[in-house]
Amino acid sequence: ASLVFLLILGSVAFASTKSMPDSSLYPIKRFIEQTRLNLTFSDHTRARLRLSFAEARLEEAKVMVRLKKIDKEKMVLKDMGKDMAETLKIIQKLSNKDREALVAKFISISQHQQAVLTNIINRAPEEAREALEHARETSKRGLEEAEEAAEKRKEHETKPKPEKPKGKEKLETHEDEPEKLEEEPGGGSALHGDDRWEDQTEVENEGE
């Protein structure tokens, strides 16, 4: 019995992945999405999930506008904006290495949103246009922020690094060299101070 229940549950879950906001299975679809987010601890992976959910919301909005289900359209457009905003927050926290690919994907999806929403607005009924225009403006702001982040990174990479002063390098090299003894013209090391006086005294004593 438990196996049959699991099979039924799995079938329902799979069927819900294709459901639209006007379907009775849609809440299951959204529950599964939220569960995936809750079980994901990597910021990079969470951002990618959010972007995929935003793409799904855009497709759902297209269908809801066509069916003239305005309340459902408003709901999914609001959720799409939330997913994009949360993704942008995650991107801003990531290191430069992890951020680059996500910024590029974010920009690509935002540009696609702009094109699709503009197309929908031109064909949508009057009562649906307000939510669509708001979603387009929100998407545009997110796109501008992402493009600004990408431009800053590009400027940082192309900025030349300051060179180390050559005079300092020479000074450090000189300090590391061992001290050299002065050499007499005939070879050997020169003696200084008391050492030379002691040698001369020994010679005089021997003469006496």
Side-chain angles (χ1 to χ4, degrees), residues 29-174:
K29 175 183 180 177
R30 298 304 301 274
F31 175 77
I32 292 172
E33 289 179 353
Q34 188 60 47
T35 301
R36 290 178 66 190
L37 275 176
N38 293 339
L39 296 177
T40 302
F41 301 101
S42 164
D43 283 339
H44 190 272
T45 305
R46 286 175 65 86
R48 286 194 170 276
L49 278 176
R50 288 277 190 187
L51 288 175
S52 68
F53 297 160
E55 289 181 295
R57 301 295 86 84
L58 181 61
E59 294 304 312
E60 293 165 1
K62 288 165 61 177
V63 175
M64 294 301 100
V65 170
R66 188 172 69 248
L67 297 176
K68 297 182 180 181
K69 297 189 174 183
I70 309 305
D71 290 341
K72 301 295 184 183
E73 167 232 343
K74 291 180 179 179
M75 177 188 72
V76 294
L77 286 175
K78 182 179 179 181
D79 290 342
M80 181 186 76
K82 180 180 177 182
D83 282 325
M84 295 299 285
E86 290 298 321
T87 301
L88 199 56
K89 288 180 183 178
I90 294 174
I91 288 174
Q92 291 169 347
K93 294 191 302 181
L94 292 174
S95 63
N96 289 336
K97 182 180 178 182
D98 294 330
R99 188 187 303 174
E100 186 175 1
L102 274 176
V103 168
K105 187 169 180 62
F106 186 96
I107 290 174
S108 176
I109 291 175
S110 296
Q111 290 171 339
H112 178 65
Q113 287 175 350
Q114 294 288 298
V116 170
L117 290 170
T118 299
N119 186 39
I120 295 175
I121 289 171
N122 294 333
R123 297 183 290 104
E126 187 66 31
E127 61 271 22
R129 290 183 182 178
E130 183 180 354
L132 289 167
E133 288 173 351
H134 178 73
R136 183 172 62 177
E137 286 303 311
T138 302
S139 176
K140 183 181 178 181
R141 288 195 298 270
L143 174 60
E144 290 171 351
E145 288 186 43
E147 288 176 335
E148 184 180 351
E151 187 62 29
K152 284 182 179 179
R153 173 173 172 77
K154 186 177 179 181
E155 290 176 358
H156 178 74
E157 289 177 345
T158 55
K159 186 177 180 180
K161 295 181 180 180
E163 295 182 0
K164 193 175 183 180
K166 293 182 179 180
K168 188 176 180 180
E169 289 180 357
K170 289 182 179 179
L171 180 61
E172 291 175 351
T173 303
H174 180 71

Side-chain angles (χ1 to χ4, degrees), residues 153-201:
R153 173 173 172 77
K154 186 177 179 181
E155 290 176 358
H156 178 74
E157 289 177 345
T158 55
K159 186 177 180 180
K161 295 181 180 180
E163 295 182 0
K164 193 175 183 180
K166 293 182 179 180
K168 188 176 180 180
E169 289 180 357
K170 289 182 179 179
L171 180 61
E172 291 175 351
T173 303
H174 180 71
E175 289 176 351
D176 292 340
E177 292 179 356
E179 294 185 3
K180 295 181 179 180
L181 296 174
E182 296 179 6
E183 294 185 357
E184 294 287 352
S189 300
L191 297 175
H192 299 278
D194 294 340
D195 293 338
R196 183 177 292 178
W197 181 84
E198 289 176 359
D199 287 354
Q200 182 64 32
T201 304

